[in-house]
Amino acid sequence: IGCVSQLLLFGTLLFSGLLYHAVIQNGNMTSTRRPNFIIILADDIGWGDLGANQQERQKLSNTPNLDLMAQEGMRLTDFHSPASTCSPSRAALLTGRHGLRNGVTHNFAVGSVGGLPLSETTLAEILHQNGYYTAMIGKWHLGHNGPYSPTNRGFDYYLGIPYSNDMGCTDQPGYDIPPCLPSGHSSCYSKVALPLFENETIVEQPLDLWRLTQRYTSTALDVILKARKQAQPFLLYMALAHMHVPLSPHFHVPLPSAPHPSEGAVYAASLRDMDELVGAIKNASDASEKDNTLIWFTGDNGPWDQKCLYSGSVGPFQGKWQTSRGGGSAKRTTWEGGHRVPTVAYWPGRVPANSTSSALLSGLDIFPTLLSLAGVKPLPDRRYDGMDATDVLLHGTETGHKFLFHPNSGAAGKYGDLQTVRMGRHKAFYITGGAEACSGSTGKEELHDPPLIFDLSQDKAEETTLDPTTEEYREAEERGRRAREVLLYDIATDPLLSTADYTTDQSAAPCCDRRHASCRCSSG
């Protein structure tokens, strides 16, 4: 019976896609073409890294192409990653479900046996079943073995790295990673060189980090051209290596020995490198189907404080309550710097040009929004946490989430726990803790009952808590507590919760030739 039900369900989804005939209403114009989607997901990027977000606009921007895209589209200033670290954020983006539902609450490893649970259905799978050509380029980090690989999770084509680009050594190392030395190195995964996959085959191990941007760019342009020739709608999911260490801008100079490069120079060069890639994709899209392609740029989490000169800017969202007590307040934390990410939506003729939205949105919303724009319904048996943001993108409404929950991503508490809740201008913390900072300090875990509450409209730096004796505090605390109880009950009673397999085994590490040191594809 289960198989028959699944076939009927997929048949219904396919039928709804084939019957789709009114994608977008724009004034008196109706388009019968299904839109193309390009998701560009930057890694470890700060809200303040986007030139258009900088308060000192006279400062030379390192992101002119993204700034232009924002000028010709919409800048989303209150957009948040679903988690503050790699795997959970990506799993939530592709499923529209919190980690407590989809099972992915922390990162997968080089030797991970499993990945995103097979009981979960991805955005790519649904779009593929409804006639879309689906391609992914870049970092997957949701399982690299067998059924967990991208081409088994809805993507027709894949080129990229199975996890973060610092989770393996290279012969051509970037900044902040050692080479593949025969004797190994304590701060490098020296036993396994960093692999580059095409579909399910390792085509290079170790890969050349300095050539990666060019390779990703040319492959993305090929995907866009192929879809255009086939007259087929497409989803291109680009999960960039930028701005995760090691930083390796393609117009590099020889690596300096000592002293270190001038402050921020390498990071700025890498930002420009990423921005050039984005510009190339935008230009190719404009030349292909400019009025029928939505480009959505965002990030998987905030900057990695621990990496000092090689990490980005959180802008005004400094998490001062935490940093004054030790530890960082960006990646891995639920402070604003950990999850508020630069986001731009671009779709000429559809998304209003030169517009800004302060609607409270999340990477969880990409899943339902793209399905809605494609005229496809999500699986009816699933409980989702994202919302359809079509009205925000196309009609300029400011209706976002009434409540948005941020999960623990490694700084304090239990992985995946929804320990912080945002409600309008207020934000309540039930647990705090700082990730490792550049200085090496870490903030201790602290439980808060009653919670700490900040007013972000007056205190973007999250420095001073509201007085618990005030009416404003009591009202915000009650709203947050009730919303948290409702969501936790909904998750606890969800009949389709998934559990990820976080088992590791040395033999599960991707290796093209185990006869050679670091799994090289050749002795050279």
Side-chain angles (χ1 to χ4, degrees), residues 57-77:
R57 295 301 298 274
Q58 70 275 13
K59 181 180 177 182
L60 180 64
S61 173
N62 290 309
T63 60
N65 289 294
L66 272 168
D67 296 345
L68 178 61
M69 203 162 82
Q71 184 179 342
E72 297 176 346
M74 178 179 288
R75 185 167 58 99
L76 299 160
T77 59

Side-chain angles (χ1 to χ4, degrees), residues 9-151:
L9 177 60
F10 288 155
T12 301
L13 289 172
L14 180 59
F15 186 65
S16 68
L18 292 174
L19 287 182
Y20 181 71
H21 61 84
V23 179
I24 295 296
Q25 294 285 343
N26 184 31
N28 295 322
M29 298 177 61
T30 302
S31 173
T32 58
R33 294 177 298 165
R34 289 188 292 173
N36 308 309
F37 305 119
I38 300 176
I39 303 170
I40 305 177
L41 185 71
D43 201 341
D44 289 4
I45 192 167
W47 189 92
D49 288 340
L50 178 66
N53 280 345
Q54 294 170 359
Q55 293 178 321
E56 300 176 9
R57 295 301 298 274
Q58 70 275 13
K59 181 180 177 182
L60 180 64
S61 173
N62 290 309
T63 60
N65 289 294
L66 272 168
D67 296 345
L68 178 61
M69 203 162 82
Q71 184 179 342
E72 297 176 346
M74 178 179 288
R75 185 167 58 99
L76 299 160
T77 59
D78 204 355
F79 192 95
H80 301 260
S81 58
S84 297
T85 193
C86 309
S87 297
S89 186
R90 292 155 201 272
L93 185 154
L94 289 173
T95 64
R97 287 156 55 89
H98 278 302
L100 289 182
R101 295 191 201 271
N102 66 42
V104 181
T105 57
H106 54 289
N107 288 342
F108 292 104
V110 173
S112 283
V113 173
L116 175 66
L118 303 180
S119 53
E120 293 295 314
T121 302
T122 70
L123 172 66
E125 287 177 280
I126 297 178
L127 289 177
H128 175 80
Q129 291 155 6
N130 283 271
Y132 272 72
Y133 175 70
T134 55
M136 183 192 170
I137 299 171
K139 171 180 169 178
W140 175 238
H141 216 165
L142 292 175
H144 48 269
N145 284 295
Y148 298 101
S149 64
T151 51

